[in-house]
Each structure stands twice: as structure tokens, then as C-alpha cells.
Amino acid sequence: MAALIAPSILSADFANLETELGRIADADYAHVDVMDNHFVPNLTLGLPVFERLAKVSPVPLDAHLMIENPDRWAPAFAEAGAASVTFHAEAAQAPVRLARELRRLGARAGVALRPATPVEPFLDLLAEIDMILVMTVEPGFGGQSFIEGTLPKIRRAREAVSESGLDVWIQVDGGVSRDTIERAADAGANVFVAGSAVFGAQDVPGEIATLRDLAGRHTH
Ligand code: DX5
Ligand code: ZN
């Protein structure tokens, strides 16, 4: 399975987002962290900014909604042109209904799990979703260190996906770098979000290539 790299623009220069998206034109997705200051103690950007990013981005957008009431707000991100919309399991009232709605609108549907949220309740519902996002830090901020204790959950998710025969992607987000990406890939992740590791690098396209190569050696 190919390793997909999704740099998080949370670590980009927010005064120059169009230029910053151009720097990651070699990536598979641009990961956009939407935070509402309720679900997480941080506030980033909302729909009007996302709509403009979707218009100018050279790479498809991967929306990660760290917001309350995604049932109400997530479909608009699909309508705005997100290739993928991921909402948090802890915040959704009716995750299957919401995933179906996102797919109907033409987006991939993802379900995100905080580090302490179990994956088991979703393993019977794999046919309804396109991606599980296993958070490898507590959501809210870039630059935190990878929580090694999330690796068994990635492994369980990958085993269940393999048994199901479905093509559900497993994404990791938080603390992903040259030091951790191989372990995440080995556990079963195939989509890798990296914010500070990519935008903090001297050579941004080179860092994306390096991460893709390291992960690709370990994806199953
Ligand atoms: C954190 C966000 C991440 C963040 C990752 O809540 O969901 O996408 O940008 O940043 P790094 O890669 O620096 O840990
Ligand atoms: Zn994220």
C-alpha cells in the first residue's frame, strides 16, 4: 500500500496560506485543522477561509474538524470542495448518518479518535467510512510528541480493516516525523499527517519525499 503524506498547514504561515500550499504541491493532501475553541482549547479557521483554500490549493484538502456538533457543520466542508472530511467520534451525535451525508456530497468520510477513545465501537461500521484517524497526540496544538501508547490501537484498526477486505485508510496525526513515522507505518497507518516536521524543514518538498520513503518501507 502506498504511503500518503498530508502536511498540516497548522504549522504554515497563516498570513500566506496560498504560497504555503504551493510549497506542499508534491504532497498527497493538504491537512486543514479546523478548531472551534470548544472541542479543543484552540481556534484556527472556519468555513469562509476553507472555501478559499479549496479554490486555490494545488493539492486536495483533507479537513480535520476538531469542533463540537460536526453533524451540523461538517457537510458544508464537503460542499466547499474538501476531498476528505474527518469529524471526531467524541463529538458526533450520529456518526453513520453524518458519514453517509459526507459521501453523498462526494467527500471521503473519516472518523477521528482522541488518544483515549477506543476504536472497537467503529470496527463493525467500517463499510460506512473511508478513513479512521488515530490521533497520536491530544488534539489542539502542533509540535507535541508522539504518544507511543496509540500504536496498539493502530494495529487493531489495521487488523480489522484487513479482515473486512474493505479499503479503509488509517491516518495518524500528531508528532509524526522521521523519528516516528516508521513505527506508525509498521503498526498499519497508511496516511501520515505532519505539521511541524514538514513546515519546519529547510527543504519542504525534500522532507515530504523523505517521509513518504520512510513510511513506504513499512506500509503493509
Ligand atoms: C493537532 C492537529 C495536527 C497538528 C500536527 O491537533 O490535528 O494536525 O497540526 O502537528 P505536528 O505534526 O507538529 O504534531
Ligand atoms: Zn489534524
Side-chain angles (χ1 to χ4, degrees), residues 78-79 81-85 99-109 130:
E79 284 166 341
S84 176
V85 179
R100 287 181 175 181
E101 175 70 357
L102 293 170
R103 283 175 155 186
R104 190 184 67 76
L105 293 168
R108 296 176 59 88
D130 298 294

Side-chain angles (χ1 to χ4, degrees), residues 8 31-33 35 64 66 133 135 173 193:
S8 164
H31 182 87
V32 182
D33 289 303
M35 305 186 190
H64 176 195
M66 286 160 275
L133 165 49
M135 287 303 299
D173 180 10
V193 177

Side-chain angles (χ1 to χ4, degrees), residues 8-11 31-33 35 40 64 66 88 133 135 137-145 173-177 193-198:
S8 164
I9 62 166
L10 186 62
S11 293
H31 182 87
V32 182
D33 289 303
M35 305 186 190
V40 287
H64 176 195
M66 286 160 275
H88 266 268
L133 165 49
M135 287 303 299
V137 299
E138 283 294 349
F141 300 93
Q144 303 178 75
S145 63
D173 180 10
V176 174
S177 69
V193 177
S196 47
V198 168

Side-chain angles (χ1 to χ4, degrees), residues 1-5 28 172 175-192 194 197-198 201 205-220:
M1 190 181 293
L4 303 177
I5 305 296
D28 298 286
V172 285
V176 174
S177 69
R178 293 179 185 211
D179 295 334
T180 55
I181 197 166
E182 292 173 279
R183 289 199 292 290
D186 190 55
N190 70 300
V191 190
F192 303 86
V198 168
E207 195 64 23
I208 291 169
T210 298
L211 292 173
R212 191 185 275 127
D213 179 52
L214 285 172
R217 292 186 208 166
H218 295 264
T219 42
H220 306 237

